[in-house]
């Protein structure tokens, strides 16, 4: 069962009982759809996501057992509770054998109904949770990259194609999108997989040491150079070299890098001779490179040479941010929960629906890396066996950090209550409450179920407040 309210389909031809079941289940927080026959229910099941079917055994046309059997053939069948006025053991056994989750008899005890529905939905949630873990742990990844969204499937295909080539690669993407994983995937899919894969952060090496790090040096080339030393290009010979944050490379070194790419040889610092190397260069950056441009007004160094830029972008890929593939959030979350539970030597906690909804709605400026950090924190702080939004930092739950795919909360701005500001008298809390209830009803065109959900109360409570007016 996905996050949010459970979706229940009530199949009952008796109008009064159907209405009673609908009201009771909505009071318990479920979203309820109704049908008067098995045929009508089948149409709803074909077009809507349903978590639970509550059906009478006796229906016009096909009976409840026929509907039950039909649901069992669905790819993701809903839970099923059978109701009948003829509570014989044979009928109960027959329904349970066909796959029903529970069996209730008329006249219904509403409290009993609520308990049984809650139990069946909880069992379904646990089943879905288990499937999610199995899916996450059993689903193949692509050299450490996880995703089944269309954009990631396309990315994996592009990485396979690029791996067959020989020219330089430029990987662009925000921090945390997995540029190093993508570079490793290209290496592992290529004929160079048996040779070294080396990664270096161009922004993490002092400028005075960069040339020696990349191309090596000979003894006596500079103070402290007591012996010959091979550079990264020589160490990666035959394999792949990842230059992370290539835009931070000084312009002088950019010219020497271009020469290596064009001529396939390096000259160690202090040497008069060049050494041939066979290295595939993959460059990565977290920002859009402005070839031949300037970093900013206070930094006069060129960002990247135009000729080097065009050489590097022989193959160019832009890795998508997580907010553009939110369909992968559930899969990634389950994978990270399992990973960090193992590291903490503890049983993986359940992933609450509200926890997932909060993550789905978050914008993730730090992308997949940030998601993993959030999950690690949540698993560490979770002592109750179930991950909830409270296990996430406040900035993740804050409305201003949520993207458009999250659910909007109820109207909490006082500007939504003009009667408070316009009233010349001091209103009592009871009077404000009454007026606000009427205001919300007007905003939702009299839809009591929607109004109750926005107000955070049950429909029975809403009815009582309306009757008190």
């Amino acid at each position: 069962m996905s996050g949010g309210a459970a979706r229940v389909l009530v199949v009952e031809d008796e109008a009064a009982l159907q209405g009673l079941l609908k009201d009771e289940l909505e009071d318990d927080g479920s979203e309820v759809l109704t049908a008067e026959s098995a045929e009508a229910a089948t149409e709803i099941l074909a077009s809507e996501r349903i978590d639970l079917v509550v059906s009478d055994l006796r229906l016009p046309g096909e009976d409840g057992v026929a509907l039950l059997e039909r649901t069992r053939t669905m790819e993701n069948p809903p839970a099923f509770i059978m109701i009948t006025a003829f509570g014989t053991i044979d009928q109960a056994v027959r329904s349970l054998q066909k796959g029903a989750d529970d069996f209730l008899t008329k006249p219904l005890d509403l409290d009993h109904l609520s308990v049984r529905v809650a139990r069946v939905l909880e069992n379904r949630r646990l089943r879905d949770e288990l499937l999610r873990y199995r899916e996450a742990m059993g689903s193949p990844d692509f050299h450490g990259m996880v995703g089944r969204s269309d954009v990631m499937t396309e990315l994996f295909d592009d990485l396979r194609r690029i791996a067959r080539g020989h020219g330089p690669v430029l990987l662009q993407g925000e921090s945390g999108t997995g540029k190093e994983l993508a570079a490793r995937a290209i290496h592992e899919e290529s004929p160079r997989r048996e040779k070294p894969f080396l990664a270096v952060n161009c922004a993490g090496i002092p400028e005075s040491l960069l040339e020696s790090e990349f191309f090596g040096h000979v003894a006596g080339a500079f103070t402290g150079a007591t012996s010959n030393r091979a550079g990264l290009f020589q160490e990666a010979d035959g394999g792949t070299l990842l230059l992370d944050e290539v835009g931070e490379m000084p312009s002088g070194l950019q010219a020497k890098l271009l020469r290596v790419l064009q001529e396939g040889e390096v000259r160690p610092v202090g040497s008069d001779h060049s050494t041939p190397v066979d290295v595939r260069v993959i460059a990565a950056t977290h920002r859009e490179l402005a070839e031949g441009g300037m970093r900013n007004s206070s930094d006069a160094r060129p960002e990247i040479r135009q000729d080097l830029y065009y050489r590097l972008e022989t193959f160019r890929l832009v890795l998508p941010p997580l907010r553009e593939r939110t369909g992968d959030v559930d899969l990634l979350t389950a994978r990270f929960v399992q990973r960090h539970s193992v590291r903490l030597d503890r049983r993986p906690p359940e992933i609450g629906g509200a926890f997932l909804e909060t993550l789905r709605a978050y914008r993730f400026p730090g992308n997949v890396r940030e998601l993993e950090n959030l999950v690690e924190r949540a698993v560490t702080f979770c002592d109750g066996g179930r991950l909830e939004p409270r296990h996430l930092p406040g900035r993740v739950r804050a409305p201003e950090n949520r993207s458009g795919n999250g659910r909007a909360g109820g109207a909490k701005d006082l500007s939504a209550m003009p009667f408070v500001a316009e009233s010349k008298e001091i209103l009592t809390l009871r009077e404000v409450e009454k007026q606000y209830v009427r205001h919300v009803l007007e905003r939702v065109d009299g839809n009591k179920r929607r109004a109750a959900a926005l107000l955070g109360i049950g429909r029975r409570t809403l009815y009582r407040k309306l009757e008190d007016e």
Side-chain angles (χ1 to χ4, degrees):
M1 186 173 63
S2 61
R7 306 194 81 206
V8 180
L9 174 59
V10 172
V11 189
E12 172 59 62
D13 60 320
E14 184 182 336
L17 181 55
Q18 183 189 98
L20 178 65
L21 289 170
K22 185 175 187 298
D23 286 348
E24 183 67 22
L25 293 172
E26 286 179 340
D27 279 349
D28 290 338
S30 296
E31 181 180 345
V32 182
L33 289 76
T34 60
E36 292 75 32
S37 66
E39 291 78 9
T42 300
E43 293 182 6
I44 293 175
L45 288 166
S47 60
E48 300 281 350
R49 174 188 63 80
I50 299 297
D51 299 310
L52 168 65
V53 175
V54 179
S55 175
D56 199 342
L57 179 63
R58 297 291 182 90
L59 295 169
E62 292 183 325
D63 64 9
V65 173
L67 176 62
L68 169 62
E69 292 177 332
R70 191 172 296 123
T71 63
R72 298 308 93 176
T73 65
M74 296 172 61
E75 182 178 353
N76 185 26
F80 204 105
I81 293 178
M82 192 73 77
I83 298 177
T84 180
F86 310 94
T88 66
I89 294 178
D90 289 343
Q91 289 171 326
V93 171
R94 182 187 175 203
S95 295
L96 294 173
Q97 287 177 339
K98 296 291 185 180
D101 296 87
D102 212 335
F103 188 95
L104 298 173
T105 59
K106 301 176 183 176
L108 292 175
D109 181 311
L110 294 182
D111 291 334
H112 190 207
L113 169 70
S114 296
V115 170
R116 303 293 276 274
V117 166
R119 187 183 69 181
V120 168
L121 287 173
E122 177 66 8
N123 287 340
R124 177 181 171 82
R125 187 196 63 74
L126 291 173
R127 185 203 70 179
D128 289 350
E129 192 73 33
L130 178 60
L131 290 175
R132 188 182 296 119
Y133 276 126
R134 287 177 176 173
E135 184 179 58
M137 301 314 296
S139 62
D141 58 29
F142 186 72
H143 303 286
M145 305 178 75
V146 177
R148 281 202 309 269
S149 58
D150 291 342
V151 68
M152 291 303 289
T153 300
E154 182 178 349
L155 175 64
F156 297 158
D157 289 341
D158 287 342
L159 290 172
R160 291 187 184 95
R161 296 187 187 100
I162 289 173
R164 298 197 294 262
H166 300 283
V169 182
L170 179 60
L171 298 177
Q172 292 182 274
E174 298 175 10
S175 296
T177 51
K179 295 185 290 295
E180 183 169 343
L181 286 177
R184 289 183 180 276
I186 292 172
H187 176 75
E188 293 298 330
E189 289 286 321
S190 76
R192 299 173 180 269
R193 67 179 66 90
E194 301 300 328
K195 297 294 184 177
F197 173 89
L198 300 180
V200 58
N201 188 329
C202 297
I205 302 175
E207 186 171 340
S208 60
L209 298 179
L210 276 172
E211 186 174 357
S212 174
E213 284 293 316
F214 278 99
F215 309 124
H217 62 256
V218 297
F222 50 84
T223 302
T226 57
S227 61
N228 294 346
R229 182 182 183 278
L232 291 168
F233 274 92
Q234 290 169 293
E235 292 178 6
D237 190 28
T240 304
L241 177 61
L242 169 63
L243 306 179
D244 198 9
E245 299 304 341
V246 68
E248 303 299 323
M249 183 179 288
S251 57
L253 194 60
Q254 289 183 26
K256 295 182 179 181
L257 172 60
L258 179 62
R259 181 183 176 187
V260 174
L261 295 175
Q262 291 175 336
E263 301 180 9
E265 59 183 26
V266 298
R267 179 173 294 182
V269 177
S271 175
D272 295 328
H273 304 285
S274 297
T275 302
V277 290
D278 174 23
V279 177
R280 189 174 195 186
V281 171
I282 301 178
T285 176
H286 74 281
R287 52 193 169 88
E288 188 71 27
L289 295 178
E291 65 275 14
M294 311 302 289
R295 281 190 174 87
N296 54 57
S297 59
S298 63
D299 189 345
R301 293 179 299 166
E303 187 171 75
I304 190 166
R305 291 170 54 109
Q306 188 178 58
D307 47 6
L308 177 59
Y309 176 83
Y310 289 127
R311 182 67 177 129
L312 290 175
E313 71 153 5
T314 302
F315 299 98
R316 178 176 176 271
L317 273 181
V318 178
L319 275 65
L322 185 55
R323 61 182 172 275
E324 292 181 6
R325 57 183 188 104
T326 53
D328 291 329
V329 168
D330 289 18
L331 187 65
L332 288 164
T333 299
R335 175 68 65 93
F336 295 149
V337 167
Q338 184 71 21
R339 175 184 298 173
H340 291 288
S341 296
V342 170
R343 288 178 178 176
L344 291 171
D345 192 24
R346 59 181 294 182
R347 180 180 178 181
E350 299 169 5
I351 304 175
F355 181 85
L356 280 177
E357 280 207 346
T358 302
L359 290 177
R360 293 187 197 114
Y362 182 56
R363 292 191 59 80
F364 286 107
N367 294 291
V368 177
R369 184 185 297 125
E370 182 183 14
L371 172 59
E372 179 165 12
N373 292 340
L374 291 172
V375 170
E376 179 180 7
R377 177 189 189 278
V379 170
T380 302
F381 279 88
C382 179
D383 295 324
R386 180 184 175 89
L387 294 173
E388 301 290 355
R390 60 187 174 84
H391 296 123
L392 295 168
R395 62 181 172 79
V396 179
R397 306 192 301 270
E400 62 269 22
N401 293 329
R402 298 170 78 79
S403 58
N405 62 327
R407 294 190 172 195
K412 298 176 183 177
D413 191 341
L414 287 179
S415 64
M417 300 184 288
F419 48 80
V420 175
E422 294 173 1
S423 176
K424 296 181 180 180
E425 300 178 0
I426 300 298
L427 303 177
T428 66
L429 286 175
R430 186 176 182 82
E431 289 168 335
V432 171
E433 182 182 74
K434 287 181 180 180
Q435 293 193 42
Y436 186 57
V437 168
R438 288 197 297 267
H439 172 75
V440 172
L441 277 170
E442 290 174 2
R443 290 283 298 272
V444 297
D445 298 323
N447 186 322
K448 293 184 177 62
R449 180 181 65 80
R450 177 67 175 150
L454 286 172
L455 291 166
I457 59 177
R459 287 185 67 190
R460 288 180 176 177
T461 302
L462 176 62
Y463 289 144
R464 285 198 301 270
K465 293 184 180 297
L466 293 174
E467 290 171 358
D468 289 341
E469 292 185 353

